[in-house]
Amino acid sequence: MVTDKMVDYPQFLNLMNKEWLVNHKVSEDKKLELRLGPPGEALDYNRNTTHGTKRAFQHTAETRTGEKEWPVDTTKNQCQKISCIEKIGDKVNLPPTPWSSGSTIYSAFSKDTKEEPQHSKASFFQNLPVSKKLAGMAEDFKQPCSPRMAVGEVQFADGKACCSLATADPDASTNITSNKRIEYSPVVGWPPIRSFRKNIASNSLSKPASESSNDKDTGGKPENPKTQLFVKINMEGIPIGRKVNLSAYNSYEELSLAIDDLFSGLLAAQRDPSATQNESKAKESAKAEAGPLAGSGEYTLIYEDDEGDRILVGDVPWNMFVSTAKRLHVLKSSELSTLQICSNEKEKAPFDPAVHI
Amino acid sequence: MAEQMSDDEGQQSPPSDLDFTSNKARTCIVTGSVSGHTEFQSPYPDQVLENVLENVLHFLTSRRDRNTASLVCKSWYRVEALTRSELFIGNCYAVSPARATARFTRVRALHLKGRPRFADFNLMPHGWGAHFNPWVLAFAKACPWLEKVYLKRMSVTDDDLATLAESFLGFKELVLFCCDGFGTSGLANFVSKCRQLKVLDLIESEVSDDETDWILCFPEGESHLESLIFDCVECPINFEALERLVARSPSLKKLRLNRYVSIGQLYRLMVQAPQLTHLGTGSFSPSEIAGQGDQEPDYVTSFAACKSLVCLSGFREIIPDYLPAIYPICANLTSLNFSYANITAEQLKPIISNCHKLQVFWVLDSICDEGLQAVAATCKELRELRVFPVDAREDSDGPVSEVGFQAISEGCRKLQSILYFCQRMTNAAVIAMSRNCPDLVVFRLCIMGRHRPDHVTGEPMDDGFGAIVMNCKKLTRLAVSGLLTDKAFDYIGRYGKLVRTLSVAFAGDSDMALKYVLEGCPQLQKLEIRDSPFGDAALCSGLHHYYNMRFLWMSSCRLTHQGCQQIAHAMPRLVVEVIRSADEEEMDVCDQTLYMYRSLEGPRNDAPKFVTIL
């Protein structure tokens, strides 16, 4: 089944580790080895990265101030005192299981052929209350990856691909809590990198994060170059496009928020024409529904460069993007398979609309 | 209870009979060898000795030597206090400004450290403390000849900057490292009033954008500036004003620009200041978005003209096409910071292959193992290497591994300091480094995935770190990571006799680990631990040592309130702080942070609500 899905998105096969593919099929029959879940809890698992490194995870607890903001309501449903230590061996994964919305989801692990010395560590973590967190990747992209689309989820490292494959289920955006697969929950302050050193991959240098929520105040916008770069932007399914001034923004994040704003009203009108009586209410409900568009996973942002090629937004440094983008398209993620997509060199730069730690 | 003198802090309970020093004696000391004083009285025999001593002690610069000298006798204590010109205080809460200014009356330079290092990683809520304000006020009154202030991890307000500028005529140097609390308006006020300013270094600090043009506020006329570092300032600056400032600063040697300075603007500055020794290049990309209408300046020439350039950094938004511009100076470089430059091995190689003199190299792991191999092949003089992750997440792809690590150890035998972020490592590589690089003083290895074992053998990383402490006899700073059992800490306790700073995260099995360290490392000064299974029993095993330490940090361990209370009761000169996450009232102590430090002053009075002092 997963294989079928993979066929549907052939272009992403290139991005996958071939080895993973093989192993995936092989390990489909393997049992899940679960750790330390309280009885009766549904546990989910994750697949590994493309490097067969062994590792163990620890789930941790509370959301502290300054931690990334999850686009998901993490306080409901959980606070399970589960701790799972996941160790992922060279082999990977297991077929996805649909999640029930009430379940707490923790990483499980694939059975590893090598020994697992971490067992003894499990007890230490049991005391820590755990709340559900999104996988770091999904969090970066603010796009939920439904377990049904586990295929896309595999490329943890290749974030863009992952997010593009996010669920076609329109309800997924609202059902985010349960549909998120959790690979591990990122811990505050780990790895120990100061905030201004992060975000280098996308080169969208966000301001140094302060622990308070004042980060809007600091490091504001740089002065904009004199030129105004209006480019057309079309959203799939909406006949009327907009124009957006690229030079008014300084990062992918700002751009995606702006695009949100641009289309939310139009989207609402389209979804529920009867609700347009109260315009502002429609806008609000549209916003609520669509999440932040960038985060819902339903849509993917593509641009056309000066050679006419369509490229996924987020690969290159912001400045370079602005200088080469001629048009923008917002496409439904499920429709991507029908497009000719050429992705850039395998950059590790994630699409970056989200807040970073 | 004898309070031992710390290595780092020049504090000691002043003897209560300090006042007995007569005014006469004081006067004689103050005037030193200047004779002809009209009120000269026949000196006590001690006076001569003290005069001599004063002249001699002027030459003593190391603070540790001075601390030792001050313990000899009261007379030496007095004279040392009068002759100390640089005051270093490693924990601003260990001693009060009043006490410091009372003892050291003729201080010219003040070096203060505030927050603990883990605060940099969001492990401490905002507003914890470390305010510069009481210090600046105290020194403004007592030591108006203060010229230099160096602050690390402190909160400095715009008012404090104003006080600095107004109270200290002839103020010369301000260095703010990892500080916050001030903005461009405070800077503007500061620079406009400090006419003698030579050094303004803002490093990794948070500067709020008050939309004030602070560069314009530098006074007109020739400037004494020797160093202007503002690469952390995240707001645009007035370039024309900067250009004029550089043009009228003939002594300027160090200039580090922020990312709002384009490469074209950099060119113009370099033309004005070919005498620079330290340069931070700003964005290193063009500002024009549309293609170049004008001709590109000849960047290579501008770099070639800077014959004294030895330290290069910046590259904040690098367009690698411009990298070849720096070829002319590579051969002279002793320090190169590419830690914001997302470049590949191929882009690095032509540069690094010319950097034969390089001693300090900071880089991103985007250069992969291959890039590190290139470094190892050329940089035989390398002393310090830092490899930062482009993608700082736990399970991102790891472009660097034990391969690059081992290559460095084989090529750079003189390595003294390493900070290495990676996703996987092997004991073999770490052991190899311990053998190849015996001069290591600082060893910080961060395997980003928690609890990761040796990825080849599956074993814990105990043996690797054990080899480091065993073979690197000069090691004073150690940061561990990966899967570690108590055995690793046993090694550290047994062999890490010179270790002063130890950072532990997600490591160890039991209290024994912490015990090994507390009982085995006599030089331990700074211990920071997070998310490790150490409890009250372990905490109690260090009672004999806590007065010798600057601080202990333990967060998300297994401590209980009672345990912390016990310590607080047992050690009255220790300030035991329990820090909650700011917005949660009820938390298990497990989730709270213990931060404790020795202090002469008792509990501080500026603690915020989320801090409980036991």
Side-chain angles (χ1 to χ4, degrees), chain B residues 305-345:
Chain B
C306 293
K307 305 218 183 296
S308 315
L309 210 51
V310 290
C311 174
L312 198 58
S313 61
F315 309 103
R316 300 294 293 259
E317 292 172 1
I318 187 173
I319 304 282
D321 302 339
Y322 291 101
L323 261 183
I326 72 171
Y327 287 164
I329 46 134
C330 287
N332 295 333
L333 281 183
T334 56
S335 170
L336 178 56
N337 182 348
F338 270 155
S339 65
Y340 289 97
N342 193 348
I343 56 174
T344 63

Side-chain angles (χ1 to χ4, degrees), chain A residues 47-68 81 85 87 90 114-115 117-118 120-121 123-125 127-129 136-141 156-159 183-212 214 217-223 225-227 229 247 250 317 319-320 322-324 346-350 356-357, chain B residues 117-126 152-153 177-178 180 204-209 232 234-237 259-260 265 285-290 316-320 337 339-342 362 364 388-398 421 423-424 446-460 480-485 505-509 530-534 555-558 581-584 587-588 590-591 593:
Chain A
R47 20 81 307 171
N48 76 343
T49 65
T50 49
H51 284 261
T53 40
K54 276 192 254 184
R55 28 197 205 139
F57 286 124
Q58 171 200 352
H59 283 277
T60 55
E62 66 280 5
T63 316
R64 303 199 198 192
T65 47
E67 195 174 16
K68 290 190 212 186
K81 302 229 174 204
I85 300 179
K87 188 167 147 198
D90 299 299
K114 302 202 176 115
E115 59 163 348
Q118 288 88 313
S120 58
K121 294 182 110 35
S123 55
F124 168 56
F125 303 120
N127 296 330
L128 302 176
M137 180 65 149
E139 172 233 342
D140 280 347
F141 295 66
F156 195 82
D158 253 350
E183 188 175 42
Y184 67 95
S185 61
V187 178
V188 176
W190 188 262
I193 304 272
R194 297 203 185 105
S195 45
F196 55 81
R197 285 200 181 279
K198 303 201 176 184
N199 310 327
I200 290 182
S202 59
N203 231 321
S204 62
L205 293 160
S206 51
K207 41 254 165 186
S210 54
E211 285 92 344
S212 67
N214 289 343
D217 298 335
T218 58
K221 302 185 191 324
E223 66 184 341
K226 326 67 198 170
T227 48
L229 283 178
S247 57
N250 305 297
N319 286 336
M320 206 188 275
V322 172
S323 62
T324 54
K346 199 157 122 189
E347 288 271 340
K348 299 294 186 267
H356 288 261
I357 284 181
Chain B
R117 196 178 72 97
F118 273 6
D120 292 350
F121 313 124
N122 292 357
L123 288 179
M124 187 180 248
H126 206 63
K152 183 167 180 177
R153 291 197 189 95
F177 184 90
C178 284
D180 63 5
E204 296 185 6
S205 294
E206 208 176 300
V207 183
S208 70
D209 183 4
C232 62
E234 290 288 311
C235 46
I237 49 129
R259 64 184 178 94
Y260 293 94
Q265 293 171 329
S285 58
S287 67
E288 257 63 43
I289 290 209
R316 300 294 293 259
E317 292 172 1
I318 187 173
I319 304 282
N337 182 348
S339 65
Y340 289 97
N342 193 348
W362 292 21
L364 287 175
F388 294 97
V390 164
D391 194 2
R393 287 182 316 207
E394 284 191 60
D395 69 342
S396 49
D397 275 354
F421 284 87
Q423 293 287 356
R424 59 181 213 255
C446 182
I447 303 170
M448 289 193 276
R450 286 165 274 168
H451 309 112
R452 284 212 194 150
D454 179 324
H455 86 100
V456 165
T457 66
E459 308 232 320
V480 301
S481 62
L483 179 64
L484 293 170
T485 69
F506 305 102
D509 298 326
R530 63 168 295 181
D531 293 277
S532 300
F534 307 141
S555 59
S556 301
C557 297
R558 282 189 179 172
S581 182
D583 53 0
E584 298 200 34
M587 286 175 70
D588 301 331
C590 265
D591 302 327
T593 298

Side-chain angles (χ1 to χ4, degrees), chain A residues 100-118:
Chain A
S100 57
S101 40
S103 67
T104 8
I105 292 132
Y106 287 94
S107 58
F109 11 143
S110 57
K111 188 160 166 99
D112 196 336
T113 49
K114 302 202 176 115
E115 59 163 348
E116 300 171 27
Q118 288 88 313

Side-chain angles (χ1 to χ4, degrees), chain A residues 197-306:
Chain A
R197 285 200 181 279
K198 303 201 176 184
N199 310 327
I200 290 182
S202 59
N203 231 321
S204 62
L205 293 160
S206 51
K207 41 254 165 186
S210 54
E211 285 92 344
S212 67
S213 53
N214 289 343
D215 47 354
K216 292 297 176 205
D217 298 335
T218 58
K221 302 185 191 324
E223 66 184 341
N224 292 319
K226 326 67 198 170
T227 48
Q228 295 211 305
L229 283 178
F230 281 97
V231 297
K232 290 186 206 165
I233 176 165
N234 285 85
M235 177 176 269
E236 193 171 331
I238 298 181
I240 298 179
R242 304 288 305 255
K243 272 205 146 178
V244 65
N245 179 8
L246 288 183
S247 57
Y249 308 107
N250 305 297
S251 68
Y252 288 119
E253 181 176 3
E254 289 181 26
L255 178 65
S256 69
L257 289 173
I259 292 176
D260 253 2
D261 285 332
L262 282 181
F263 285 110
S264 56
L266 290 172
L267 262 181
Q270 279 205 277
R271 281 187 179 156
D272 190 2
S274 61
T276 48
Q277 21 179 323
N278 185 346
E279 199 186 58
S280 58
K281 195 175 168 197
K283 273 202 170 146
E284 263 174 9
S285 62
K287 279 199 168 105
E289 237 185 10
L293 286 179
S296 70
E298 284 190 64
Y299 296 95
T300 310
L301 196 57
I302 308 266
Y303 73 100
E304 274 182 43
D305 68 5
D306 39 23

